[in-house]
Amino acid sequence: MKKRVLVIDRDDDGRKFFKDVFFKSDIEIVALKELHAGMELLKSRSSIDGIIVEYSFIKDDEIDLLLEIKSIKPDIACVVIGDATTDEVIKCVKNGADDFIDNPTENKESFFKTFKELLDKYDNGFYDAIKTELDPLASESNHMIGQSRPMLKLKRQLQKLAPLDSTVLILGETGTGKEVTARMIHSL
């Protein structure tokens, strides 16, 4: 079955690049220049399996575009492309981007392989596995409750953070769940 990937890029050459990269694959590219048209297509519930969005749209947009994309279609593979600072890249990943690639044109084959693997992960139940793993009823060691968008966002962030070998500082008022958050990180 052919996958459909939405590319939202202002640059004509950028859109052409993605069509060229995926030309001989089982991936159909829907390349659009305008953010509004792309978001309308996503909202129309058409079959979109992945999205590649230019960072300037995220930077320019007053709403949190990545959170909106993930709220419309939580199981979509989402890659952001463009130039950004480290803090901006971290914010993108925290808000739902699966990857951030600063210059995909430098290595076509590497970009294709990375994006194809990401699509395959979602196709093979990656999203469902994370959702099940993060469901408070699915794991006895997970004591974090709540299914609101902020809680799911926090759980997704912790899922990405848990495998890293680094120190984590958890800050917050008394009773806000710092210890529960720490236990969840260790249980993942």
Side-chain angles (χ1 to χ4, degrees), residues 4 6 8 30 32 34-48 51 63 65 68-69 72-73:
R4 290 183 77 205
L6 174 61
I8 306 174
V30 178
L32 300 173
E34 295 187 19
L35 176 64
H36 180 72
M39 294 306 289
E40 288 303 312
L41 180 64
L42 200 59
K43 289 176 186 173
S44 73
R45 302 286 183 218
S46 69
S47 160
I48 301 291
I51 185 166
I63 62 166
L65 180 62
E68 184 178 359
I69 289 169
I72 294 168
K73 192 161 173 40

Side-chain angles (χ1 to χ4, degrees), residues 26-177:
D26 60 343
I27 298 170
E28 175 190 349
I29 295 296
V30 178
L32 300 173
K33 186 175 189 169
E34 295 187 19
L35 176 64
H36 180 72
M39 294 306 289
E40 288 303 312
L41 180 64
L42 200 59
K43 289 176 186 173
S44 73
R45 302 286 183 218
S46 69
S47 160
I48 301 291
D49 302 294
I51 185 166
I52 300 168
V53 63
E54 181 185 351
Y55 178 68
S56 64
F57 285 115
I58 295 165
K59 193 172 186 176
D60 294 347
D61 205 15
E62 291 182 18
I63 62 166
D64 199 340
L65 180 62
L66 294 170
L67 286 175
E68 184 178 359
I69 289 169
K70 287 293 188 170
S71 72
I72 294 168
K73 192 161 173 40
D75 59 342
I76 194 169
C78 180
V79 172
V80 180
I81 57 167
D83 295 322
T85 67
T86 302
D87 289 340
E88 291 168 331
V89 171
I90 290 169
K91 183 177 181 190
C92 287
V93 171
K94 282 182 178 179
N95 289 336
D98 293 297
D99 205 345
F100 193 108
I101 300 173
D102 61 349
N103 190 356
T105 59
E106 286 181 358
N107 190 336
K108 271 186 183 181
E109 293 79 23
S110 176
F111 176 79
F112 175 80
K113 182 181 176 195
T114 300
F115 195 78
K116 180 83 168 102
E117 286 172 359
L118 184 60
L119 282 175
D120 290 343
K121 268 172 81 172
Y122 275 91
D123 195 38
N124 292 327
F126 171 72
Y127 174 74
D128 294 332
I130 286 177
K131 191 174 178 185
T132 301
E133 195 170 315
L134 294 178
D135 185 342
L137 300 175
S139 170
E140 288 181 29
S141 63
N142 182 354
H143 301 290
M144 196 173 278
I145 59 172
Q147 296 297 321
S148 66
R149 188 173 6 187
M151 287 303 292
L152 291 175
K153 178 183 168 190
L154 173 63
K155 291 174 184 179
R156 190 170 47 245
Q157 289 172 351
L158 295 177
Q159 179 74 21
K160 289 179 180 181
L161 180 68
L164 302 177
D165 184 24
S166 63
T167 303
V168 177
L169 175 63
I170 303 169
L171 300 171
E173 301 280 326
T174 302
T176 57

